Amino acid sequence: TKRSMLRNNERQRFDPRTLTTQETIRPFEYLNSEAIKSELESLQETHPKFITLGTSQEWYDLPTAGTANDCPFDSSVTGCKNYIMIIEDPSVPDPSVLAEVFLSGAVHGNERIGPTTVMETARLLVESAECEALPRSKSDISEAEWEDDVRKAKDCRSKLQKQGIFPWARRWMARLVSTRRIVVVPSANALGYYQNKRREGSIDPNRDFAFDQEDWSNCMRTIAGRTINEVYREHMFQHSLTFHGGMVAIAYEWGAPSRNTPKGIPSPDDTAQVELGLGLSNYAGSFTPHNEGYKYPHDSMNNLVYPVNGGMEDWAYGGGWGLDLV
């Protein structure tokens, strides 16, 4: 069949020398708040089958942070909307069995790497899933539609390969979409990201969670924190990843003062956390060319970063069962 011919052609050994630098490397700039909104809407428009887009204002009836001078592109409100994107394959027979994953771009508004990274991740995931779904079953469509699907399949496979997404990677990312529900919050601290400031107003969102607080009134005062809280109330995440800036690290629980005595007390899932950290570090590879062999260090936040009261990461991990700290 034409589908098997397409697969067989992909199995041919790929020679990277056939691609030019211009084809494999796509220049980028960090997305600002307006560009994130535009990209989210574009992804939803081009991949409506896989993407559901909303805001915490629309879905959870939360207010916005900011004034009329902030996020003017969110013209229907005063302040900044908090955007949420869900990536999911609607053809999965039983959606209730899907693992759930959370990707957070920024809780600190002046740490800029995360939102662009999660947006690029989302784009690659849905483009791979859309491409891998082609061509559709010939029995379900007309001959003309089949021929058009084959053409689109060849085009999207070629485009992805020119970006360095080879067939194995495309199929792997498509499988991620079909076996997971991926919730993406590009910039939970929407106001801080727009203003390029660490805090949301006067409050640090990463001190705003109900975990190991010295003063329990210091919880859920930010729209960033409340947005993430509502998302967690609605989903059962098996894995979550949030980005920060200012240092190089892959860090995991614990990162709380009460879990730092004795130094470096491990979490109950420390073995799994260590394996995940090691795997991510190895997959990311070395920094080159000036730091050949240097990979992302990985350890607990207490050991590698520093402990904080009210941190998002420890709350997300232990807030449902670490009852002595919540």
Side-chain angles (χ1 to χ4, degrees), residues 291-303:
N291 294 301
E292 183 69 40
Y294 177 77
K295 297 181 179 181
Y296 281 92
H298 53 93
D299 203 341
S300 71
M301 290 178 286
N302 277 339
N303 289 345

Side-chain angles (χ1 to χ4, degrees), residues 1 3 5 11 18 28 58 70-72 107 115 117 121 126 156 179-180 194 207 240 243 249 290 298 314-315 318:
T1 66
R3 178 183 285 271
M5 290 171 60
R11 292 192 186 101
T18 62
F28 76 95
E58 174 191 357
D70 300 304
C71 300
V107 292
T117 303
T121 300
V126 294
C156 66
T179 56
R180 288 153 179 78
Y194 175 75
R207 308 294 186 271
S240 61
F243 283 84
H290 302 297
H298 53 93
D314 279 15
W315 167 86

Side-chain angles (χ1 to χ4, degrees), residues 10 14 19 23-26 47 120-134 152-174:
E10 289 177 350
F14 174 70
L19 296 182
E23 288 176 312
T24 56
I25 298 176
R26 180 169 57 87
H47 306 283
E120 285 293 296
T121 300
R123 181 184 64 81
L124 287 173
L125 286 168
V126 294
E127 285 184 356
S128 296
E130 193 86 53
C131 189
E132 190 64 15
L134 296 171
K152 289 178 179 178
K154 290 179 178 178
D155 288 347
C156 66
R157 285 157 167 76
S158 175
K159 176 186 174 183
L160 286 167
Q161 185 152 302
K162 287 178 179 179
Q163 296 178 39
I165 307 301
F166 306 133
W168 70 266
R170 185 193 71 242
R171 290 192 288 267
W172 172 60
M173 285 191 283

Side-chain angles (χ1 to χ4, degrees), residues 10 43 102 138 145 163 207 295 302 306 315 317 326:
E10 289 177 350
L43 285 173
F102 179 63
K138 196 171 184 179
E145 289 174 317
Q163 296 178 39
R207 308 294 186 271
K295 297 181 179 181
N302 277 339
Y306 47 78
W315 167 86
Y317 172 67
V326 297

Side-chain angles (χ1 to χ4, degrees), residues 40-48 51:
L40 286 168
E41 293 172 342
S42 175
L43 285 173
Q44 184 188 40
E45 182 179 351
T46 54
H47 306 283
I51 288 180

Side-chain angles (χ1 to χ4, degrees), residues 21-22 25 75 95 98 100 104 117 130 140 177 183 187 213 225 231 238 240 255 271 273 304 319:
T21 301
Q22 287 74 21
I25 298 176
S75 56
L98 291 174
E100 295 194 290
S104 164
T117 303
E130 193 86 53
D140 297 334
V177 173
V183 181
S187 51
Q213 289 279 12
V231 169
Q238 280 74 48
S240 61
T271 299
Q273 302 268 32
L304 199 56

